[in-house]
Amino acid sequence: MRKQIAAANWKMNLSISEASILLDQLAATSPNLSEHQEAVFAVPAIYIPLATQKLDGLNHFYVAAQNCHPKANGAYTGEISAPMLASIGVKHIVLGHSERREYFNESDSFLAEKTNAVLSEGSTPIFCCGEPLTIREAGTQNSFVETQLINSLFHLSEEQITKVVIAYEPIWAIGTGKTASSEQAQEIHAYIRSVFATKYSQAIADQISILYGGSVKASNAKQIFSQPDVDGGLVGGASLIATEFVAIINALK
Ligand code: PEP
């Protein structure tokens, strides 16, 4: 069975004491996950050691980074590399979130380099893609997302692509309270899987976990995750409330 993943994206939120309380609540109430399920916490980089310590011992719980630089080291002030993250046990890295694409001008080719860097460490890129509202309204979301995938991921080998987790996040649904309907999510997730089936094979495509992101909360997670091509979610706002996020973890298939 494909990995089913509930991934939290804390973004640039919480003081250290707030983070500490949230992690304690999560550790105290979190469910036992099955072999094919994972809970991933992309916390602000400075809280990674705290999160690692607080979530220690919870099976299938992983602390993640929200970003990394493609180079291993060097004169890149303010940046953190994939090998540095791996050296502190962080093996999941979110790449290409729409906020980074928009506010930090991250291009498809730059994201291809970052993906290579993460895979070189044996780590897991959680690669974000998704269209803005204008594209959705024009009905061209499939080709828009396909182009993002082609430009950043199609150079990967069969073995490499199965290590990538995709997070489909329609930009119009991120932090807006608007969620894609479960039918809309299923439709484009199935399309994304078909893109990988055409490039690689159906067997390869069937191994790739595709998460949905965009205003997932406790009240809609079960419905969205029940779709056959939706393998969990990448969650922003609702991941900052322990009861919400635990319910989202519990909604995994
Ligand atoms: C996100 O940040 O990836 C996200 C999906 O945010 P939200 O759940 O708040 O829409």
Side-chain angles (χ1 to χ4, degrees), residues 185-198:
Q186 170 55 25
E187 192 183 12
I188 193 155
H189 279 229
Y191 185 75
I192 290 169
R193 202 174 302 289
S194 78
V195 166
F196 289 119
T198 306

PDB file of all heavy atoms in Angstrom, residues 185-198:
ATOM      1  N   ALA A 185     -10.392  17.325  -6.028  1.00  0.00           N
ATOM      2  CA  ALA A 185      -9.093  16.800  -5.585  1.00  0.00           C
ATOM      3  C   ALA A 185      -8.812  15.466  -6.284  1.00  0.00           C
ATOM      4  O   ALA A 185      -7.731  15.268  -6.854  1.00  0.00           O
ATOM      5  CB  ALA A 185      -9.078  16.633  -4.068  1.00  0.00           C
ATOM      6  N   GLN A 186      -9.790  14.572  -6.267  1.00  0.00           N
ATOM      7  CA  GLN A 186      -9.598  13.265  -6.896  1.00  0.00           C
ATOM      8  C   GLN A 186      -9.258  13.408  -8.382  1.00  0.00           C
ATOM      9  O   GLN A 186      -8.361  12.744  -8.893  1.00  0.00           O
ATOM     10  CB  GLN A 186     -10.836  12.381  -6.711  1.00  0.00           C
ATOM     11  CG  GLN A 186     -10.859  11.095  -7.520  1.00  0.00           C
ATOM     12  CD  GLN A 186      -9.641  10.200  -7.312  1.00  0.00           C
ATOM     13  OE1 GLN A 186      -8.977  10.246  -6.277  1.00  0.00           O
ATOM     14  NE2 GLN A 186      -9.332   9.396  -8.322  1.00  0.00           N
ATOM     15  N   GLU A 187      -9.965  14.301  -9.049  1.00  0.00           N
ATOM     16  CA  GLU A 187      -9.775  14.452 -10.497  1.00  0.00           C
ATOM     17  C   GLU A 187      -8.326  14.832 -10.831  1.00  0.00           C
ATOM     18  O   GLU A 187      -7.676  14.217 -11.669  1.00  0.00           O
ATOM     19  CB  GLU A 187     -10.739  15.534 -10.998  1.00  0.00           C
ATOM     20  CG  GLU A 187     -10.852  15.603 -12.492  1.00  0.00           C
ATOM     21  CD  GLU A 187     -11.765  16.747 -12.933  1.00  0.00           C
ATOM     22  OE1 GLU A 187     -12.124  17.614 -12.102  1.00  0.00           O
ATOM     23  OE2 GLU A 187     -12.104  16.767 -14.116  1.00  0.00           O
ATOM     24  N   ILE A 188      -7.813  15.825 -10.116  1.00  0.00           N
ATOM     25  CA  ILE A 188      -6.459  16.270 -10.476  1.00  0.00           C
ATOM     26  C   ILE A 188      -5.393  15.325  -9.903  1.00  0.00           C
ATOM     27  O   ILE A 188      -4.353  15.115 -10.526  1.00  0.00           O
ATOM     28  CB  ILE A 188      -6.203  17.751 -10.115  1.00  0.00           C
ATOM     29  CG1 ILE A 188      -4.926  18.248 -10.786  1.00  0.00           C
ATOM     30  CG2 ILE A 188      -6.222  18.004  -8.626  1.00  0.00           C
ATOM     31  CD1 ILE A 188      -4.851  19.728 -11.010  1.00  0.00           C
ATOM     32  N   HIS A 189      -5.669  14.704  -8.772  1.00  0.00           N
ATOM     33  CA  HIS A 189      -4.714  13.707  -8.263  1.00  0.00           C
ATOM     34  C   HIS A 189      -4.594  12.547  -9.249  1.00  0.00           C
ATOM     35  O   HIS A 189      -3.497  12.049  -9.501  1.00  0.00           O
ATOM     36  CB  HIS A 189      -5.159  13.190  -6.889  1.00  0.00           C
ATOM     37  CG  HIS A 189      -4.792  14.109  -5.755  1.00  0.00           C
ATOM     38  ND1 HIS A 189      -4.178  13.679  -4.604  1.00  0.00           N
ATOM     39  CD2 HIS A 189      -4.947  15.447  -5.627  1.00  0.00           C
ATOM     40  CE1 HIS A 189      -3.964  14.712  -3.806  1.00  0.00           C
ATOM     41  NE2 HIS A 189      -4.436  15.795  -4.390  1.00  0.00           N
ATOM     42  N   ALA A 190      -5.733  12.107  -9.785  1.00  0.00           N
ATOM     43  CA  ALA A 190      -5.696  11.017 -10.769  1.00  0.00           C
ATOM     44  C   ALA A 190      -4.927  11.474 -12.008  1.00  0.00           C
ATOM     45  O   ALA A 190      -4.161  10.698 -12.602  1.00  0.00           O
ATOM     46  CB  ALA A 190      -7.117  10.601 -11.146  1.00  0.00           C
ATOM     47  N   TYR A 191      -5.101  12.745 -12.365  1.00  0.00           N
ATOM     48  CA  TYR A 191      -4.369  13.261 -13.531  1.00  0.00           C
ATOM     49  C   TYR A 191      -2.856  13.251 -13.261  1.00  0.00           C
ATOM     50  O   TYR A 191      -2.061  12.813 -14.097  1.00  0.00           O
ATOM     51  CB  TYR A 191      -4.849  14.676 -13.903  1.00  0.00           C
ATOM     52  CG  TYR A 191      -4.184  15.129 -15.165  1.00  0.00           C
ATOM     53  CD1 TYR A 191      -4.578  14.627 -16.404  1.00  0.00           C
ATOM     54  CD2 TYR A 191      -3.081  15.998 -15.127  1.00  0.00           C
ATOM     55  CE1 TYR A 191      -3.911  14.983 -17.570  1.00  0.00           C
ATOM     56  CE2 TYR A 191      -2.416  16.361 -16.277  1.00  0.00           C
ATOM     57  CZ  TYR A 191      -2.843  15.852 -17.495  1.00  0.00           C
ATOM     58  OH  TYR A 191      -2.180  16.196 -18.642  1.00  0.00           O
ATOM     59  N   ILE A 192      -2.492  13.737 -12.062  1.00  0.00           N
ATOM     60  CA  ILE A 192      -1.062  13.758 -11.700  1.00  0.00           C
ATOM     61  C   ILE A 192      -0.497  12.331 -11.753  1.00  0.00           C
ATOM     62  O   ILE A 192       0.579  12.090 -12.300  1.00  0.00           O
ATOM     63  CB  ILE A 192      -0.878  14.384 -10.293  1.00  0.00           C
ATOM     64  CG1 ILE A 192      -1.183  15.889 -10.348  1.00  0.00           C
ATOM     65  CG2 ILE A 192       0.529  14.128  -9.748  1.00  0.00           C
ATOM     66  CD1 ILE A 192      -1.293  16.575  -8.996  1.00  0.00           C
ATOM     67  N   ARG A 193      -1.259  11.375 -11.236  1.00  0.00           N
ATOM     68  CA  ARG A 193      -0.772   9.984 -11.275  1.00  0.00           C
ATOM     69  C   ARG A 193      -0.613   9.518 -12.726  1.00  0.00           C
ATOM     70  O   ARG A 193       0.343   8.825 -13.073  1.00  0.00           O
ATOM     71  CB  ARG A 193      -1.704   9.068 -10.484  1.00  0.00           C
ATOM     72  CG  ARG A 193      -1.010   7.784 -10.047  1.00  0.00           C
ATOM     73  CD  ARG A 193      -1.854   6.902  -9.143  1.00  0.00           C
ATOM     74  NE  ARG A 193      -2.315   7.538  -7.920  1.00  0.00           N
ATOM     75  CZ  ARG A 193      -1.534   7.858  -6.883  1.00  0.00           C
ATOM     76  NH1 ARG A 193      -0.245   7.589  -6.924  1.00  0.00           N
ATOM     77  NH2 ARG A 193      -2.032   8.448  -5.805  1.00  0.00           N
ATOM     78  N   SER A 194      -1.544   9.935 -13.574  1.00  0.00           N
ATOM     79  CA  SER A 194      -1.460   9.511 -14.985  1.00  0.00           C
ATOM     80  C   SER A 194      -0.243  10.126 -15.681  1.00  0.00           C
ATOM     81  O   SER A 194       0.354   9.518 -16.569  1.00  0.00           O
ATOM     82  CB  SER A 194      -2.752   9.866 -15.738  1.00  0.00           C
ATOM     83  OG  SER A 194      -2.770  11.239 -16.064  1.00  0.00           O
ATOM     84  N   VAL A 195       0.132  11.329 -15.244  1.00  0.00           N
ATOM     85  CA  VAL A 195       1.329  11.974 -15.817  1.00  0.00           C
ATOM     86  C   VAL A 195       2.562  11.121 -15.499  1.00  0.00           C
ATOM     87  O   VAL A 195       3.416  10.879 -16.369  1.00  0.00           O
ATOM     88  CB  VAL A 195       1.476  13.418 -15.241  1.00  0.00           C
ATOM     89  CG1 VAL A 195       2.854  13.997 -15.531  1.00  0.00           C
ATOM     90  CG2 VAL A 195       0.372  14.320 -15.784  1.00  0.00           C
ATOM     91  N   PHE A 196       2.644  10.637 -14.270  1.00  0.00           N
ATOM     92  CA  PHE A 196       3.787   9.784 -13.897  1.00  0.00           C
ATOM     93  C   PHE A 196       3.696   8.407 -14.566  1.00  0.00           C
ATOM     94  O   PHE A 196       4.718   7.817 -14.924  1.00  0.00           O
ATOM     95  CB  PHE A 196       3.874   9.632 -12.372  1.00  0.00           C
ATOM     96  CG  PHE A 196       4.305  10.900 -11.677  1.00  0.00           C
ATOM     97  CD1 PHE A 196       3.488  11.532 -10.760  1.00  0.00           C
ATOM     98  CD2 PHE A 196       5.532  11.473 -11.971  1.00  0.00           C
ATOM     99  CE1 PHE A 196       3.884  12.704 -10.132  1.00  0.00           C
ATOM    100  CE2 PHE A 196       5.943  12.652 -11.347  1.00  0.00           C
ATOM    101  CZ  PHE A 196       5.115  13.268 -10.425  1.00  0.00           C
ATOM    102  N   ALA A 197       2.469   7.920 -14.754  1.00  0.00           N
ATOM    103  CA  ALA A 197       2.308   6.616 -15.416  1.00  0.00           C
ATOM    104  C   ALA A 197       2.799   6.708 -16.860  1.00  0.00           C
ATOM    105  O   ALA A 197       3.456   5.786 -17.367  1.00  0.00           O
ATOM    106  CB  ALA A 197       0.850   6.182 -15.360  1.00  0.00           C
ATOM    107  N   THR A 198       2.490   7.820 -17.519  1.00  0.00           N
ATOM    108  CA  THR A 198       2.909   7.991 -18.916  1.00  0.00           C
ATOM    109  C   THR A 198       4.424   8.126 -19.013  1.00  0.00           C
ATOM    110  O   THR A 198       5.055   7.528 -19.883  1.00  0.00           O
ATOM    111  CB  THR A 198       2.214   9.236 -19.518  1.00  0.00           C
ATOM    112  OG1 THR A 198       0.814   9.077 -19.326  1.00  0.00           O
ATOM    113  CG2 THR A 198       2.529   9.409 -20.991  1.00  0.00           C
TER     114      THR A 198
END
